Amino acid sequence: DNLRLLAESASRFEGDIRQFKWIVISAHMAAQTSLIGFLSGSAGLGAFTKDAQAKQFAWLNDYSGKTKRPNADQVADFRELLKRATTGESFERSDVTLQLDPQHFARFEKLHWHRSRFNHLRDEGWSIEISGVPEFIEAVHDLISHIVADGWAFRHASDDERDELSQLLEQLHGFT
């Protein structure tokens, strides 16, 4: 849904700069949810915070029944997810890393900064810098394309869902 919203907002951006907010939010969410899928191995712990991983792992390995299932499934923040995916510092799937263009890291940092401004409702006046949209979309496109090529994150998707994903990525590629 986030990738679909990104494609729709991007297609309307040229005529309506108000789409910038939705481009930023949907681009960030599309990247983040793809990273979660990429990092989550068979135990589903790869995208959790380190503390949540440790608690879940301890519970999974306690066959005595003394450990209660933790209520700790907090996802790591975006920067940490991106770091794990590109360095192999993952609790699960550490053998697979994403290879991204170095300039994409700066683009993701700016995308994250913009998204934080929208999500945390800072009163900073009526103007906002709206540059960087093609660069944000290119970075998200490339990230998700690498994740799709890996195959793990979308392994449970139906053929129709994979076809739609390919179409949306193609549409975004045309925007950059």
Side-chain angles (χ1 to χ4, degrees):
D1 288 338
N2 294 309
L3 197 59
R4 190 178 307 114
L5 177 59
L6 174 58
E8 290 170 4
S9 298
S11 71
R12 292 191 300 261
F13 180 66
E14 295 275 332
D16 184 1
I17 61 171
R18 293 174 298 178
Q19 296 301 317
F20 180 74
K21 174 181 180 176
W22 303 114
I23 289 171
V24 167
I25 291 171
S26 59
H28 192 278
M29 289 301 299
Q32 185 166 350
T33 55
S34 295
L35 286 167
I36 291 167
F38 176 79
L39 291 167
S40 295
S42 58
L45 305 177
F48 286 179
T49 63
K50 291 187 184 290
D51 183 56
Q53 286 175 342
K55 289 176 182 174
Q56 290 282 13
F57 192 68
W59 175 74
L60 286 171
N61 287 302
D62 177 16
Y63 292 96
S64 69
K66 294 178 183 174
T67 306
K68 288 186 176 182
R69 184 173 190 273
N71 201 5
D73 57 357
Q74 300 91 5
V75 173
D77 76 2
F78 180 78
R79 292 180 186 123
E80 177 65 19
L81 295 174
L82 188 60
K83 176 184 166 195
R84 290 178 192 178
T86 56
T87 62
E89 296 177 25
S90 176
F91 186 78
E92 300 180 291
R93 305 204 72 227
S94 60
D95 58 326
V96 182
T97 58
L98 295 177
Q99 303 299 316
L100 296 178
D101 188 321
Q103 65 188 359
H104 285 352
F105 292 98
R107 293 172 179 176
F108 280 123
E109 186 62 33
K110 288 179 184 176
L111 177 65
H112 184 71
W113 179 79
H114 279 295
R115 195 271 322 171
S116 294
R117 291 180 71 199
F118 286 126
N119 280 6
H120 301 297
L121 302 173
R122 293 189 178 104
D123 184 11
E124 296 177 356
W126 287 97
S127 66
I128 187 164
E129 174 61 43
I130 61 167
S131 64
V133 169
E135 291 82 6
F136 296 154
I137 292 174
E138 179 184 19
V140 171
H141 170 273
D142 291 355
L143 173 77
I144 295 174
S145 294
H146 286 297
I147 291 173
V148 168
D150 173 66
W152 178 261
F154 300 102
R155 67 193 179 282
H156 298 300
S158 69
D159 289 342
D160 288 343
E161 291 168 327
R162 289 177 197 204
D163 288 345
E164 181 183 16
L165 180 58
S166 294
Q167 290 170 1
L168 289 168
L169 288 170
E170 185 63 33
Q171 187 177 348
L172 289 175
H173 184 66
F175 184 79
T176 60

